[in-house]
Amino acid sequence: MSGDSLRLPLPFAGLASDTCEATTLYRDLRNPLLRYLVCLGLSADEAQDVVQDAFLTLHKHLVSGGSQENIRSWLFRVAHNAARNRQQSYDRRFGDQLDPELESIADEATPEQVVLEKEKQRRLGQAIQLLTECERECLLLRAGGLRYREIGEVLGIATSTVADTVDRAIRKLAEKCNV
Amino acid sequence: MCDFSEKLIAWMDGELPDDEAAAVDRHLGGCSECLDRLETYRGVSRALAAYCAASMETTTRRRWPQWLPVLTGAAAAAVLLAGVFQTTVFQPVSKPIVVQRHVAEASPVILDETVQQPVERVHRPHSVTRHKTLGMTRQAHWVSAEPTIQIAIPAEAMFAPGTVPEGTTFIADLRMSADGVWQGLSLQQ
């Protein structure tokens, strides 16, 4: 056998280069995707399944020569649509109020501060339930770091509509939560 | 309500055109009402981000042990890389394929002359037989008779510092049949 180097035309080669970019995408977007899906109402297992399927779909998309532009919004759109399909399949309504445990509060918080913070979270959770589906999704995608244009691509709405929806949703939460 | 109040959230998110953003900048210099509203909107955004993070942490902690995301990520990355390998290695090629022997040091194998890879590819030394199935007529270039690939994946290539112990490397052991169908995947540390 010779000692020459192995050359393979990697399908990720065009994605600003190579599999390093693929692992970077996975590393950078896995948690934001999981967080979005969990906040939509998927269980941990379902969210994990959807994220893995989304990355496998991305692989097929790139191998078949699909566009490499706006990969972030592409991945979120695939995950979003998969979550919607699960909702329709199981006839479930997403958006059940989550009950986050407040372990993020600093250890030195007083009991009063813990109670106040818990109450704030409870009111915020209730306010989120009162948002429309589009308002909730826009805010969750915005919390995931997407720009308005990307949010529009994920949800299939105009960028100006995203701006109006985000504005309306934030005002609603501000009014109900007295933040 | 101030005329600029409708633009505050878009300004906060950096979504306004430059000229409108500059106008809001100037306005905020002299409008306490808008400054108060802006602070409220920032508070809501922070609270929402904390709510999402806490929900995620609670939901995943209830279901997954701490080490599972690490191995799951390594397995998913190995499958992704295996998929890359499967769709490329078994395609007929017009030019000979050459192989780099395994090198003991941890430097990455160059898979493309313009790109360096973060993983180390290990090929087991098998006799040269598959070149016939690929229609190649020249010898002295390796194609495995028993395609078994081990891919070493440095943990730091995939995970944030501190997520896994330093120096951890996952070995994905991928086995394929002669017709290119994946037979199995095992992941070891």
Side-chain angles (χ1 to χ4, degrees), chain B residues 112-127:
Chain B
D112 181 278
E113 61 186 2
T114 62
V115 173
Q116 290 210 344
Q117 305 298 321
V119 299
E120 183 179 15
R121 184 159 298 190
V122 177
H123 297 284
R124 294 186 181 173
H126 293 290
S127 59

Side-chain angles (χ1 to χ4, degrees), chain A residues 2 4-8 12 18-19 27 34 44-45 48 52 98 100-101 121 142 147-148 167 171 179, chain B residues 5-6 12-15 45 51 58 61 63-64 72 84 98-100 110-111 115 117 121 157-158:
Chain A
S2 73
D4 297 330
S5 58
L6 177 65
R7 295 184 181 85
L8 293 176
F12 289 115
D18 52 23
T19 55
R27 184 181 56 211
L34 283 174
D45 286 342
Q48 181 75 356
Q52 288 190 346
L98 299 167
E101 294 167 9
Q121 292 267 1
R142 173 180 173 268
R147 308 288 296 175
Y148 289 7
D167 185 86
R171 289 169 187 270
V179 173
Chain B
S5 63
E6 293 178 351
M12 184 174 69
D13 290 344
E15 296 281 353
S45 298
Y51 180 87
T58 301
R61 195 187 322 117
R63 178 60 185 88
W64 299 330
T72 304
V84 168
V98 295
V99 166
Q100 184 177 22
I110 297 177
L111 298 180
V115 173
Q117 305 298 321
R121 184 159 298 190
M158 296 186 294

